[in-house]
């Protein structure tokens, strides 16, 4: 696509490149998961994750080996997501609709109901709260790392995460999107039960 | 837990509440019933906090599970192919 005008000679394939590539490959599953939470749509998410992966590869010269590559690639992915979104909000509308269809389409009777309810509840959160909660609550990032990824202050991330947690609990408690005419509070009850089951399965 | 009642009874409730706390204050000067009642309130508060903590814990478990489900999916071949092509180009072997 864009040819370098600086005419810099391509970096020779070095041990550095190999190490970088190995680390990058290991991060692909995490990039896919983060992209999925941002877009909500598996296909759009993989496109985004691939773009981010290639951006990271192209920028490998600016990456310092030994620093936090996961946080660095997540930041690239996030920036990519928002710049694409700004470029064509119309497309992102479509993505949103696709995401909703996908979320509704999960109709596996074996699938735990609570997962769906959590996804629905997540969608009701403001974007910046959702991403902060995902990074800290699911991605395993420290507040400081999440702040770096989102380009904001650590205190801001902390307050976003805590607001997101409160809002999520309230939404689940309320169960305002009634599935199968279930009584209010069932969403939280099923999540509590499901969490117990998962904890039991893990140990 | 609704305090707003139709017919402006909120004022009545509030004044009753004020009256109660005043009476409670007087009682506490006489005996220790107020402090034991306060302990009850504290216990109820702790139970509420514990409940909220459990809920947050459950949400956390689900959230990680949701994320890990995708992490544990097999990576589509496309990813590695794209990277391989880029790598080949970088090392000058690509056409």
């Amino acid at each position: 696509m864009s040819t370098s005008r600086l005419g810099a000679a391509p970096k020779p394939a070095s041990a550095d490149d190999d190490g970088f590539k190995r680390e990058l490959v290991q991060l692909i599953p995490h990039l896919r998961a983060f992209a999925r939470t941002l877009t909500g749509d598996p296909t759009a998410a993989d496109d985004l994750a691939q773009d981010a992966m290639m951006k990271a590869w192209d920028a490998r010269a600016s990456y310092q080996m030994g620093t936090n590559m996961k946080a660095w690639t997540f930041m690239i992915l996030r920036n990519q997501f928002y710049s694409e979104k700004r470029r064509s909000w119309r497309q992102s509308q479509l993505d949103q609709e696709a995401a909703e269809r996908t979320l509704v389409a999960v109709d596996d009777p074996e699938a735990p109901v609570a997962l769906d309810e959590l996804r629905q509840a997540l969608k009701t959160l403001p974007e910046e709260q959702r991403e902060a909660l995902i990074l800290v609550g699911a991605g395993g990032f420290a507040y400081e790392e999440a702040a770096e990824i989102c380009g904001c202050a650590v205190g801001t991330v902390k307050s976003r995460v805590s607001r997101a947690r409160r809002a999520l609990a309230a939404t689940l408690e309320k169960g305002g999107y009634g599935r199968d005419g279930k009584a209010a509070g069932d969403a939280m009850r099923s999540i509590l039960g499901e969490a117990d089951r998962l904890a039991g399965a893990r140990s | 837990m609704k305090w707003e009642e139709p017919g402006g009874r909120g004022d009545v409730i509030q004044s009753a509440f004020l009256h109660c706390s005043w009476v409670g204050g007087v009682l506490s000067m006489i005996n220790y019933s107020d402090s034991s009642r306060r302990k009850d309130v504290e216990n109820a508060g702790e139970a509420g906090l514990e409940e909220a903590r459990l809920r947050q814990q459950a949400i956390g478990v689900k959230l990680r599970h949701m994320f890990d489900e995708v992490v544990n999916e097999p990576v589509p071949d496309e990813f590695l192919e794209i990277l391989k092509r880029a790598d080949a180009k970088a090392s000058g072997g690509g056409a």
Side-chain angles (χ1 to χ4, degrees):
Chain A
M1 325 220 181
S2 67
T3 44
S4 172
R5 287 184 170 198
L6 297 171
K11 255 177 75 144
S14 60
D16 263 10
D17 269 8
D18 285 347
F20 183 91
K21 193 172 146 192
R22 245 196 321 276
E23 250 191 273
L24 186 58
V25 166
Q26 286 187 347
L27 287 172
I28 294 172
H30 300 269
L31 291 172
R32 291 184 73 230
F34 185 42
R36 190 85 61 93
T37 66
L38 289 178
T39 66
D41 173 52
T43 310
D46 273 358
D47 286 348
L48 175 62
Q50 279 170 16
D51 287 351
M53 179 185 77
M54 288 320 295
K55 276 221 150 79
W57 172 256
D58 290 341
R60 65 194 179 282
S62 68
Y63 171 74
Q64 274 192 306
M65 289 302 272
T67 59
N68 192 338
M69 187 152 158
K70 190 175 170 191
W72 183 69
T73 52
F74 271 51
M75 187 172 63
I76 291 173
L77 188 141
R78 182 185 174 276
N79 289 344
Q80 176 76 7
F81 173 68
Y82 286 113
S83 72
E84 264 174 28
K85 206 172 167 187
R86 267 195 303 275
R87 236 192 335 261
S88 61
W89 65 267
R90 203 175 276 276
Q91 183 58 39
S92 78
Q93 282 298 94
L94 291 174
D95 288 348
Q96 189 59 36
E97 280 163 26
E100 268 153 34
R101 275 200 304 277
T102 314
L103 287 162
V104 170
V106 178
D107 217 7
D108 176 5
E110 294 292 304
V113 167
L115 262 190
D116 246 59
E117 277 152 350
L118 182 61
R119 283 203 179 96
Q120 298 281 5
L122 272 173
K123 284 202 311 180
T124 66
L125 294 179
E127 207 147 53
E128 71 274 7
Q129 284 183 28
R130 185 170 53 234
E131 69 178 10
L133 181 63
I134 293 285
L135 290 170
V136 173
F141 288 103
Y143 286 116
E144 289 74 14
E145 294 170 322
E148 222 172 295
I149 292 168
C150 300
C152 64
V154 177
T156 309
V157 172
K158 282 185 181 168
S159 87
R160 281 176 186 171
V161 170
S162 87
R163 266 181 292 155
R165 283 191 170 134
R166 271 202 306 273
L168 216 49
T171 306
L172 291 167
E173 193 65 31
K174 200 167 56 187
Y177 35 77
R179 256 171 66 129
D180 312 329
K182 276 204 277 175
D186 265 14
M188 184 52 100
R189 257 198 295 284
S190 65
I191 282 197
L192 284 164
E194 187 63 19
D196 278 348
R197 196 184 63 77
L198 289 171
R202 221 166 259 192
S203 55
Chain B
M1 287 281 249
K2 270 187 188 153
W3 287 99
E4 284 168 46
E5 302 272 333
R9 279 174 57 204
D11 284 348
V12 179
I13 290 171
Q14 198 180 2
S15 65
F17 178 74
L18 286 174
H19 182 68
C20 279
S21 59
W22 179 79
V23 170
V26 171
L27 283 175
S28 74
M29 280 188 274
I30 302 166
N31 57 34
Y32 295 100
S33 75
D34 191 47
S35 76
S36 70
R37 198 182 55 187
R38 195 177 297 143
K39 201 163 267 173
D40 284 350
V41 171
E42 269 169 22
N43 286 343
E46 270 167 32
L49 280 179
E50 177 64 13
E51 180 84 18
R53 203 184 57 78
L54 277 177
R55 279 169 190 199
Q56 284 305 337
Q57 212 171 35
I59 291 174
V61 169
K62 298 294 303 178
L63 213 53
R64 275 192 296 279
H65 178 70
M66 195 183 88
F67 195 84
D68 289 347
E69 258 187 345
V70 186
V71 171
N72 293 328
E73 280 177 15
V75 171
D77 295 338
E78 230 183 322
F79 280 86
L80 297 177
E81 281 161 18
I82 293 171
L83 199 54
K84 205 195 254 173
R85 272 202 300 274
D87 192 17
K89 210 150 92 190
S91 30

